[in-house]
Amino acid sequence: MSRTLSAPVTVAFDYTRSTGPVLGRFLTGLRDGVVVGGRTSDGEVVVPPPEYDPVTHAATTDFVEVSPTGTVASWSWVAEPVAAQPLDRPFAFALVLLDGATRPFLHALDVASPGDVATGMRVQVRWRAQRTGAITDIECFEPVTDQAAPPPGPRSTLDPVTGVVTPVALDYTYAASPEESAFYRGLAEGRVLGQRCPTCAKVYVPPRSACPADGTPTTDEVELSQTGTVTTFCIVNVPFLGQRITPPYVSAYVLLDGADIAFLHLILDVPADQVRMGMRVEAVWKPREEWGTTIENISHFRPTGEPDAAYDTYSQHL
Ligand SMILES: [Zn+2]
């Protein structure tokens, strides 16, 4: 058995952005299968249109439809694409000067090898079959074929695009320290394990490897009580994507009996507006067959019904 535990972690959320009228016009065009640029006060045609004129700083109002065909101005080879890039096989990122534009536009170019791309080559947009008003409506560029790209269909009668949803995700591997690993393995046995500092005798849960107060390595393992006291808390009223519990509910710091540091968990089985500082609570575990090496083995904490703890008993742990 490995000394330490590790687990994949994904932090992800959908970033919602309003486009404003200028980029909204560009994205509405993509949904309709046309590429819209903006003409600036010095006569440049820029794709996507800039929101404000680079010289006069006035809002862009002069929109120009440019050709979906153009010329490669510069390119860079992507030998090992990563997740969420435009193509899942090697490809080029290319600056393409679309016919009718004076500034190049960046997108992926689908060619098999670096030998198949060159500055000056003619390329065309490959449209995605199902378009939603996003930059990904252009699947990529491809070398111009004899067969001309199909003309755009009739303009959509849908409302103009005013917003885009951009998924953001970060995948990483969390590696627990040996002390944390012991904590997680304890949880898999239904125990809550901390460590005591040999210098100041404070008990930390989860264990920190060293005492944050005096730096002494912590080695003495302590099994903690599964009852404790709410020190501080907040009532979650805001719904969000992926939320497992319907608001309002309480997220609280719980100081387990015998510990010197509180940890964060849910307080359930009680109306949110009845949770208070000093409330005595106990751990509620999930069914045994659902346990793993995770704090989620403890489903939540619930009130024990005991009288509230005196403020002095936890005032040093807020
Ligand atoms: Zn210490």
Side-chain angles (χ1 to χ4, degrees):
M1 186 170 67
S2 165
R3 183 163 169 249
T4 57
L5 294 169
S6 64
V9 179
T10 301
V11 179
F13 63 95
D14 284 348
Y15 182 72
T16 305
R17 182 188 169 197
S18 54
T19 59
V22 175
L23 286 175
R25 179 75 178 262
F26 172 70
L27 295 171
T28 301
L30 294 183
R31 194 181 60 193
D32 287 341
V34 295
V35 183
V36 174
R39 195 187 311 277
T40 61
S41 63
D42 54 358
E44 302 277 2
V45 176
V46 184
V47 181
E51 293 188 277
Y52 296 96
D53 190 281
V55 177
T56 67
H57 308 151
T60 298
T61 54
D62 189 1
F63 298 101
V64 185
E65 285 188 16
V66 301
S67 170
T69 301
T71 303
V72 172
S74 183
W75 57 278
S76 175
W77 188 248
V78 181
E80 296 177 12
V82 298
Q85 281 194 322
L87 297 169
D88 60 3
R89 51 192 178 275
F91 68 96
F93 270 121
L95 282 167
V96 176
L97 188 63
L98 293 168
D99 299 344
T102 64
R103 297 285 176 174
F105 169 62
L106 180 72
H107 214 297
L109 171 60
D110 186 14
V111 284
S113 76
D116 296 322
V117 53
T119 298
M121 78 184 283
R122 297 285 291 164
V123 294
Q124 65 191 22
V125 166
R126 181 190 298 161
W127 294 105
R128 196 171 296 280
Q130 299 292 327
R131 295 192 297 273
T132 59
I135 189 63
T136 46
D137 289 350
I138 295 177
E139 202 169 304
C140 58
F141 282 96
E142 61 191 5
V144 164
T145 56
D146 292 339
Q147 197 175 2
R155 296 295 194 270
S156 168
T157 54
L158 299 172
D159 290 337
V161 175
T162 57
V164 287
V165 177
T166 306
V168 177
L170 174 67
D171 296 311
Y172 64 96
T173 301
Y174 181 77
S177 67
E179 296 77 11
E180 268 186 305
S181 297
F183 169 72
Y184 289 122
R185 289 188 171 114
L187 288 168
E189 299 169 349
R191 306 159 74 206
V192 181
L193 300 178
Q195 283 190 333
R196 178 181 286 111
C197 171
T199 302
C200 68
K202 284 191 162 54
V203 172
Y204 298 103
V205 59
R208 301 314 202 246
S209 313
C211 175
D214 51 50
T216 313
T218 51
T219 50
D220 301 344
E221 195 167 271
V222 181
E223 180 166 351
L224 287 147
S225 165
Q226 299 190 9
T227 56
T229 301
V230 172
T231 59
T232 59
F233 66 95
C234 79
I235 300 177
V236 179
N237 284 298
V238 181
F240 55 85
L241 203 68
Q243 197 169 32
R244 296 181 196 173
I245 305 168
T246 307
Y249 61 90
V250 173
S251 187
Y253 276 103
V254 175
L255 182 67
L256 294 176
D257 297 341
D260 286 286
I261 194 161
F263 70 91
L264 198 59
H265 219 300
L266 297 167
I267 309 295
L268 301 178
D269 303 343
V270 57
D273 62 2
Q274 290 182 23
V275 175
R276 55 199 179 267
M277 292 173 75
M279 181 180 239
R280 296 284 295 155
V281 292
E282 63 188 356
V284 178
W285 292 70
K286 286 182 178 172
R288 182 77 176 81
E289 59 273 16
E290 294 176 25
W291 290 0
T293 47
T294 166
I295 188 68
E296 291 179 359
N297 293 357
I298 298 176
S299 154
H300 60 276
F301 282 77
R302 71 179 168 210
T304 62
E306 299 167 85
D308 286 1
Y311 181 67
D312 289 350
T313 63
Y314 61 88
S315 62
Q316 298 304 308
H317 304 285
L318 294 174

